[in-house]
Amino acid sequence: MSNTNDNFKILFSALDWGLGHTTRSIPVLKSFVEKGYDIFIACEPHSASEKILKREFPQAHFLPLRGYHIAYAKSPQLFAWKIVRQIPRIISSIKNERKQVAKWCDQYHFNMIISDNRYGFFNEKVKSIFITHQLQIIAPFSFLKKFIRRLNYNYINHFSECWIPDFESKNNLAGELSHPEKLPEIPVKYIGALSRLKKTEAEKKYDFLILLSGPEPQRTILENRFLQIKQRFTGKVLLVRGLPNEVNELASTNNFVVKNYFDADDLSEAIAQSEFVIARSGYSTVMDLFYLKKKAIFIPTPGQTEQEYLAETLMNKGFSYSFKQNEKDYYKKIGEAKDFLASNSTDFLSAF
């Protein structure tokens, strides 16, 4: 793809809060590549996001941009406090990325900017799109929810449009997160569920596919919980660690296979080969499993109110089963999940 002033140029970046913001934007970027547009991707050099996007878009131009580097507490009780302490640094990152985008706009003359949840990734002179499913951030009190939503909209309203990866109707995935009482002032467009995965037919190979993802140390904590009970599984299990940059692999057995990372094609096939998928209730994972019509067992990241809300909401709708990470007997909860999903998930999926 050539880089001339005649080409329509798009600048893109995603929040480095796990990999979900990166992966869910892949189908959006592919639609622009198919139109022949020049794609510029801003991300942290040598990061997992860069590795994934370079694999998906070898023709794209990559620009270095430091991530927010949000640190997470080991204890869920300290999760919110840990985030609050980092707010000054996050605000500084937002200001810095805004300055950097302005410099790039002068240099490359972009026609459009797309930001997946990076609040400073816009420019007043260029059409700037903000992608988010979380207009309403979950908080314990009504007055606090409204206050946080107002702060959220103060940033979102700097953009030209807001694209929401969910359905506008009452049959939706994100519930209150994407359908709050009040919308931002800028135009809002519901673009449906996004997934980079492919629907494929395959014979059953695994009883359970365990997909690990999200920030440390919680990713490793969950991984260790499953490794501790791997001998109890009677069927065949595939565990994907969600570590695209990891070189060393954990030992596998005939019935408990461990892989560091799967690209989109391998992951699509693995999901098709599995009867149940156990994963975090991050929204990108929710959209993937909904798109592939797969029975899901969610274990929300402790302290992440969004994941806890999604896990509870989707279980109430019958789409999935969920239990907390600190449950003592995972094997027992997984058995309960199988019984629950045998009679519930099909009805929800057929509503779309």
Side-chain angles (χ1 to χ4, degrees):
M1 190 179 293
S2 63
N3 179 20
T4 70
N5 289 331
D6 294 332
N7 285 5
F8 193 95
K9 300 175 187 175
I10 294 178
L11 175 63
F12 167 80
S13 189
L15 180 67
D16 60 328
W17 186 306
L19 294 174
H21 294 281
T22 294
T23 58
R24 74 181 185 187
S25 296
I26 287 174
V28 175
L29 294 178
K30 281 187 173 180
S31 69
F32 291 128
V33 169
E34 291 171 358
K35 294 179 180 178
Y37 296 168
D38 265 351
I39 306 298
F40 290 71
I41 298 175
C43 59
E44 182 111 13
H46 313 297
S47 65
S49 291
E50 184 189 60
K51 185 171 183 178
I52 292 171
L53 291 170
K54 280 190 172 181
R55 191 178 298 163
E56 293 283 349
F57 304 102
Q59 75 278 56
H61 313 278
F62 283 80
L63 303 173
L65 182 65
R66 181 175 171 81
Y68 288 8
H69 289 277
I70 301 170
Y72 304 88
K74 196 169 186 178
S75 167
Q77 291 76 21
L78 298 176
F79 181 88
W81 174 239
K82 185 87 171 181
I83 297 297
V84 168
R85 291 180 60 187
Q86 298 173 82
I87 286 178
R89 181 165 56 80
I90 294 173
I91 292 175
S92 177
S93 297
I94 292 171
K95 291 179 178 178
N96 289 336
E97 70 185 4
R98 185 173 179 179
K99 294 177 182 177
Q100 183 61 68
V101 168
K103 292 179 182 178
W104 284 333
C105 286
D106 289 338
Q107 181 178 358
Y108 295 105
H109 307 288
F110 294 113
N111 302 96
M112 182 184 292
I113 299 170
I114 300 177
S115 166
D116 192 315
N117 268 90
R118 293 192 74 138
Y119 289 105
F121 204 80
F122 70 93
N123 187 269
E124 296 87 347
K125 299 177 182 178
V126 181
K127 183 176 182 179
S128 300
I129 309 298
F130 189 78
I131 297 178
T132 186
H133 67 280
Q134 201 168 3
L135 296 176
Q136 178 64 66
I137 297 172
I138 299 299
F141 306 107
S142 178
F143 77 90
L144 188 56
K145 286 170 61 175
K146 291 181 180 178
F147 175 73
I148 294 174
R149 187 177 66 212
R150 187 162 63 248
L151 290 178
N152 192 28
Y153 287 5
N154 283 341
Y155 282 108
I156 294 176
N157 286 331
H158 283 106
F159 289 77
S160 310
E161 295 180 12
C162 180
W163 291 358
I164 304 173
D166 198 1
F167 304 97
E168 189 171 4
S169 67
K170 64 179 182 179
N171 288 330
N172 59 74
L173 297 176
E176 183 184 3
L177 301 180
S178 62
H179 295 75
E181 296 177 357
K182 183 179 180 182
L183 294 174
E185 295 175 2
I186 61 174
V188 170
K189 181 180 180 181
Y190 289 88
I191 59 175
L194 298 175
S195 178
R196 64 179 175 140
L197 303 183
K198 300 177 181 177
K199 293 181 180 179
T200 181
E201 297 291 333
E203 292 185 5
K204 177 185 170 183
K205 185 176 180 181
Y206 305 103
D207 293 278
F208 296 99
L209 168 61
I210 303 171
L211 297 178
L212 300 177
S213 62
E216 298 290 2
Q218 297 300 333
R219 191 212 64 83
T220 297
I221 292 172
L222 186 58
E223 177 178 277
N224 289 336
R225 289 296 305 272
F226 280 109
L227 293 177
Q228 290 166 6
I229 65 166
K230 65 180 182 179
Q231 302 298 336
R232 297 185 64 186
F233 285 98
T234 55
K236 194 161 186 179
V237 178
L238 171 62
L239 184 148
V240 182
R241 304 176 69 199
L243 299 175
N245 286 334
E246 182 61 52
V247 177
N248 299 319
E249 293 191 354
L250 298 180
S252 297
T253 65
N254 288 335
N255 290 330
F256 199 95
V257 180
V258 181
K259 298 293 183 181
N260 285 336
Y261 181 77
F262 275 170
D263 62 20
D265 289 341
D266 290 336
L267 183 57
S268 299
E269 183 178 18
I271 292 175
Q273 293 172 332
S274 304
E275 184 175 2
F276 299 94
V277 177
I278 304 173
R280 294 295 195 194
S281 49
Y283 190 61
S284 296
T285 302
V286 168
M287 289 192 293
D288 285 339
L289 298 182
F290 164 79
Y291 174 69
L292 297 177
K293 303 293 187 280
K294 186 58 60 172
K295 296 177 181 179
I297 303 170
F298 289 129
I299 306 174
T301 301
Q304 285 202 19
T305 55
E306 172 211 359
Q307 288 198 17
E308 293 167 347
Y309 170 82
L310 285 171
E312 180 181 0
T313 299
L314 293 171
M315 184 171 174
N316 290 337
K317 290 182 176 181
F319 170 52
S320 58
Y321 187 87
S322 71
F323 63 89
K324 294 182 179 180
Q325 182 172 287
N326 63 0
E327 285 285 348
K328 291 184 178 181
D329 193 339
Y330 274 26
Y331 195 74
K332 177 183 177 181
K333 299 302 292 185
I334 291 170
E336 293 175 1
K338 290 176 65 177
D339 294 338
F340 177 87
L341 293 171
S343 59
N344 283 283
S345 63
T346 303
D347 292 337
F348 174 76
L349 294 174
S350 63
F352 289 84

Short mmCIF file of all heavy atoms in Angstrom, two decimals, residues 285-313:
data_model
loop_
_atom_site.label_atom_id
_atom_site.label_comp_id
_atom_site.label_asym_id
_atom_site.label_seq_id
_atom_site.Cartn_x
_atom_site.Cartn_y
_atom_site.Cartn_z
N THR A 285 -14.08 -10.73 24.71
CA THR A 285 -14.30 -12.18 24.79
C THR A 285 -15.78 -12.49 24.72
O THR A 285 -16.20 -13.45 24.05
CB THR A 285 -13.71 -12.74 26.10
OG1 THR A 285 -12.31 -12.44 26.16
CG2 THR A 285 -13.91 -14.24 26.20
N VAL A 286 -16.60 -11.70 25.39
CA VAL A 286 -18.06 -11.87 25.33
C VAL A 286 -18.53 -11.80 23.87
O VAL A 286 -19.32 -12.64 23.41
CB VAL A 286 -18.78 -10.80 26.18
CG1 VAL A 286 -20.28 -10.79 25.90
CG2 VAL A 286 -18.53 -11.05 27.67
N MET A 287 -18.06 -10.80 23.14
CA MET A 287 -18.48 -10.66 21.74
C MET A 287 -18.00 -11.83 20.89
O MET A 287 -18.75 -12.32 20.02
CB MET A 287 -17.96 -9.33 21.17
CG MET A 287 -18.64 -8.11 21.72
SD MET A 287 -18.27 -6.59 20.80
CE MET A 287 -16.53 -6.38 21.18
N ASP A 288 -16.78 -12.29 21.11
CA ASP A 288 -16.26 -13.43 20.36
C ASP A 288 -17.13 -14.67 20.56
O ASP A 288 -17.51 -15.36 19.60
CB ASP A 288 -14.83 -13.75 20.79
CG ASP A 288 -13.80 -12.78 20.25
OD1 ASP A 288 -14.09 -12.11 19.24
OD2 ASP A 288 -12.70 -12.69 20.83
N LEU A 289 -17.45 -14.97 21.81
CA LEU A 289 -18.20 -16.19 22.11
C LEU A 289 -19.66 -16.07 21.68
O LEU A 289 -20.28 -17.06 21.29
CB LEU A 289 -18.08 -16.52 23.60
CG LEU A 289 -16.65 -16.80 24.07
CD1 LEU A 289 -16.63 -17.17 25.55
CD2 LEU A 289 -16.00 -17.91 23.24
N PHE A 290 -20.19 -14.86 21.75
CA PHE A 290 -21.54 -14.64 21.22
C PHE A 290 -21.56 -14.87 19.71
O PHE A 290 -22.44 -15.55 19.18
CB PHE A 290 -22.02 -13.23 21.54
CG PHE A 290 -23.22 -12.81 20.73
CD1 PHE A 290 -24.49 -13.25 21.06
CD2 PHE A 290 -23.06 -12.00 19.60
CE1 PHE A 290 -25.59 -12.90 20.29
CE2 PHE A 290 -24.15 -11.65 18.84
CZ PHE A 290 -25.43 -12.09 19.19
N TYR A 291 -20.59 -14.30 19.01
CA TYR A 291 -20.51 -14.41 17.55
C TYR A 291 -20.41 -15.87 17.12
O TYR A 291 -21.03 -16.29 16.13
CB TYR A 291 -19.32 -13.61 17.04
CG TYR A 291 -19.04 -13.75 15.57
CD1 TYR A 291 -19.91 -13.22 14.61
CD2 TYR A 291 -17.90 -14.42 15.12
CE1 TYR A 291 -19.66 -13.36 13.27
CE2 TYR A 291 -17.64 -14.56 13.77
CZ TYR A 291 -18.52 -14.03 12.84
OH TYR A 291 -18.26 -14.18 11.50
N LEU A 292 -19.66 -16.66 17.88
CA LEU A 292 -19.46 -18.07 17.54
C LEU A 292 -20.51 -18.98 18.18
O LEU A 292 -20.44 -20.20 18.03
CB LEU A 292 -18.06 -18.51 17.95
CG LEU A 292 -16.91 -17.79 17.23
CD1 LEU A 292 -15.56 -18.24 17.77
CD2 LEU A 292 -16.99 -18.01 15.73
N LYS A 293 -21.48 -18.37 18.91
CA LYS A 293 -22.58 -19.13 19.53
C LYS A 293 -22.05 -20.27 20.40
O LYS A 293 -22.49 -21.42 20.31
CB LYS A 293 -23.51 -19.68 18.44
CG LYS A 293 -24.10 -18.60 17.52
CD LYS A 293 -25.07 -17.70 18.28
CE LYS A 293 -25.79 -16.72 17.36
NZ LYS A 293 -25.03 -15.55 16.98
N LYS A 294 -21.11 -19.93 21.28
CA LYS A 294 -20.46 -20.93 22.11
C LYS A 294 -20.89 -20.81 23.57
O LYS A 294 -21.03 -19.71 24.10
CB LYS A 294 -18.93 -20.75 22.00
CG LYS A 294 -18.13 -21.82 22.72
CD LYS A 294 -18.42 -23.24 22.23
CE LYS A 294 -18.13 -23.44 20.77
NZ LYS A 294 -18.25 -24.87 20.36
N LYS A 295 -21.09 -21.92 24.22
CA LYS A 295 -21.45 -21.94 25.63
C LYS A 295 -20.26 -21.47 26.48
O LYS A 295 -19.16 -22.01 26.35
CB LYS A 295 -21.88 -23.34 26.05
CG LYS A 295 -23.14 -23.83 25.34
CD LYS A 295 -23.47 -25.26 25.72
CE LYS A 295 -24.72 -25.73 24.98
NZ LYS A 295 -25.07 -27.14 25.31
N ALA A 296 -20.52 -20.49 27.34
CA ALA A 296 -19.43 -19.82 28.04
C ALA A 296 -19.56 -19.95 29.55
O ALA A 296 -20.66 -19.89 30.11
CB ALA A 296 -19.38 -18.34 27.65
N ILE A 297 -18.40 -20.09 30.20
CA ILE A 297 -18.29 -20.06 31.65
C ILE A 297 -17.32 -18.93 31.99
O ILE A 297 -16.15 -18.99 31.62
CB ILE A 297 -17.76 -21.39 32.21
CG1 ILE A 297 -18.65 -22.56 31.78
CG2 ILE A 297 -17.66 -21.33 33.74
CD1 ILE A 297 -18.08 -23.93 32.09
N PHE A 298 -17.83 -17.89 32.64
CA PHE A 298 -17.02 -16.71 32.89
C PHE A 298 -16.54 -16.64 34.34
O PHE A 298 -17.29 -16.94 35.27
CB PHE A 298 -17.81 -15.43 32.57
CG PHE A 298 -18.05 -15.22 31.10
CD1 PHE A 298 -19.33 -14.97 30.62
CD2 PHE A 298 -17.00 -15.27 30.19
CE1 PHE A 298 -19.56 -14.77 29.26
CE2 PHE A 298 -17.22 -15.07 28.83
CZ PHE A 298 -18.50 -14.82 28.37
N ILE A 299 -15.28 -16.22 34.48
CA ILE A 299 -14.69 -15.95 35.79
C ILE A 299 -14.17 -14.51 35.73
O ILE A 299 -13.08 -14.25 35.22
CB ILE A 299 -13.54 -16.92 36.11
CG1 ILE A 299 -14.00 -18.37 35.98
CG2 ILE A 299 -13.00 -16.67 37.52
CD1 ILE A 299 -12.88 -19.39 36.15
N PRO A 300 -14.95 -13.53 36.20
CA PRO A 300 -14.54 -12.13 36.07
C PRO A 300 -13.27 -11.82 36.85
O PRO A 300 -13.01 -12.43 37.90
CB PRO A 300 -15.74 -11.35 36.63
CG PRO A 300 -16.48 -12.33 37.47
CD PRO A 300 -16.26 -13.68 36.85
N THR A 301 -12.48 -10.90 36.33
CA THR A 301 -11.28 -10.45 37.03
C THR A 301 -11.70 -9.77 38.33
O THR A 301 -12.51 -8.85 38.32
CB THR A 301 -10.49 -9.46 36.16
OG1 THR A 301 -10.13 -10.10 34.94
CG2 THR A 301 -9.22 -9.01 36.88
N PRO A 302 -11.17 -10.21 39.46
CA PRO A 302 -11.57 -9.64 40.75
C PRO A 302 -11.35 -8.12 40.80
O PRO A 302 -10.28 -7.63 40.42
CB PRO A 302 -10.66 -10.36 41.76
CG PRO A 302 -10.30 -11.64 41.09
CD PRO A 302 -10.20 -11.31 39.63
N GLY A 303 -12.37 -7.41 41.25
CA GLY A 303 -12.26 -5.96 41.39
C GLY A 303 -12.65 -5.19 40.15
O GLY A 303 -12.89 -3.97 40.24
N GLN A 304 -12.72 -5.84 38.99
CA GLN A 304 -13.11 -5.14 37.77
C GLN A 304 -14.64 -5.15 37.68
O GLN A 304 -15.25 -6.14 37.25
CB GLN A 304 -12.50 -5.78 36.53
CG GLN A 304 -11.02 -5.48 36.38
CD GLN A 304 -10.53 -5.65 34.96
OE1 GLN A 304 -11.29 -5.64 34.01
NE2 GLN A 304 -9.23 -5.79 34.80
N THR A 305 -15.25 -4.04 38.08
CA THR A 305 -16.71 -3.97 38.18
C THR A 305 -17.39 -4.22 36.84
O THR A 305 -18.49 -4.77 36.80
CB THR A 305 -17.14 -2.60 38.73
OG1 THR A 305 -16.59 -1.55 37.91
CG2 THR A 305 -16.65 -2.41 40.16
N GLU A 306 -16.75 -3.82 35.74
CA GLU A 306 -17.33 -4.05 34.42
C GLU A 306 -17.48 -5.54 34.15
O GLU A 306 -18.54 -6.01 33.73
CB GLU A 306 -16.44 -3.41 33.34
CG GLU A 306 -16.86 -3.76 31.93
CD GLU A 306 -15.68 -3.81 30.96
OE1 GLU A 306 -14.55 -3.56 31.39
OE2 GLU A 306 -15.92 -4.13 29.79
N GLN A 307 -16.41 -6.30 34.40
CA GLN A 307 -16.47 -7.74 34.16
C GLN A 307 -17.45 -8.43 35.10
O GLN A 307 -18.17 -9.36 34.71
CB GLN A 307 -15.08 -8.36 34.30
CG GLN A 307 -14.13 -8.01 33.18
CD GLN A 307 -12.94 -8.95 33.11
OE1 GLN A 307 -12.94 -10.03 33.69
NE2 GLN A 307 -11.90 -8.54 32.40
N GLU A 308 -17.48 -7.98 36.34
CA GLU A 308 -18.42 -8.56 37.30
C GLU A 308 -19.86 -8.29 36.87
O GLU A 308 -20.72 -9.18 36.97
CB GLU A 308 -18.13 -8.00 38.70
CG GLU A 308 -16.79 -8.45 39.26
CD GLU A 308 -16.35 -7.67 40.50
OE1 GLU A 308 -16.96 -6.61 40.78
OE2 GLU A 308 -15.40 -8.10 41.16
N TYR A 309 -20.12 -7.08 36.40
CA TYR A 309 -21.46 -6.72 35.92
C TYR A 309 -21.84 -7.56 34.70
O TYR A 309 -22.96 -8.10 34.62
CB TYR A 309 -21.51 -5.24 35.57
CG TYR A 309 -22.78 -4.83 34.85
CD1 TYR A 309 -23.95 -4.56 35.57
CD2 TYR A 309 -22.81 -4.74 33.46
CE1 TYR A 309 -25.13 -4.20 34.91
CE2 TYR A 309 -23.98 -4.39 32.80
CZ TYR A 309 -25.13 -4.12 33.52
OH TYR A 309 -26.29 -3.78 32.86
N LEU A 310 -20.93 -7.67 33.72
CA LEU A 310 -21.22 -8.43 32.51
C LEU A 310 -21.48 -9.90 32.84
O LEU A 310 -22.41 -10.51 32.31
CB LEU A 310 -20.06 -8.32 31.52
CG LEU A 310 -19.93 -7.00 30.77
CD1 LEU A 310 -18.61 -6.95 30.01
CD2 LEU A 310 -21.10 -6.81 29.81
N ALA A 311 -20.66 -10.49 33.72
CA ALA A 311 -20.82 -11.89 34.07
C ALA A 311 -22.19 -12.13 34.70
O ALA A 311 -22.89 -13.10 34.37
CB ALA A 311 -19.70 -12.32 35.02
N GLU A 312 -22.59 -11.24 35.61
CA GLU A 312 -23.88 -11.39 36.29
C GLU A 312 -25.04 -11.16 35.32
O GLU A 312 -26.02 -11.93 35.31
CB GLU A 312 -23.97 -10.41 37.46
CG GLU A 312 -25.29 -10.49 38.22
CD GLU A 312 -25.37 -9.50 39.36
OE1 GLU A 312 -24.40 -8.74 39.58
OE2 GLU A 312 -26.42 -9.48 40.05
N THR A 313 -24.94 -10.12 34.50
CA THR A 313 -26.01 -9.79 33.56
C THR A 313 -26.23 -10.90 32.54
O THR A 313 -27.37 -11.30 32.27
CB THR A 313 -25.70 -8.47 32.84
OG1 THR A 313 -25.58 -7.41 33.80
CG2 THR A 313 -26.78 -8.12 31.83
#
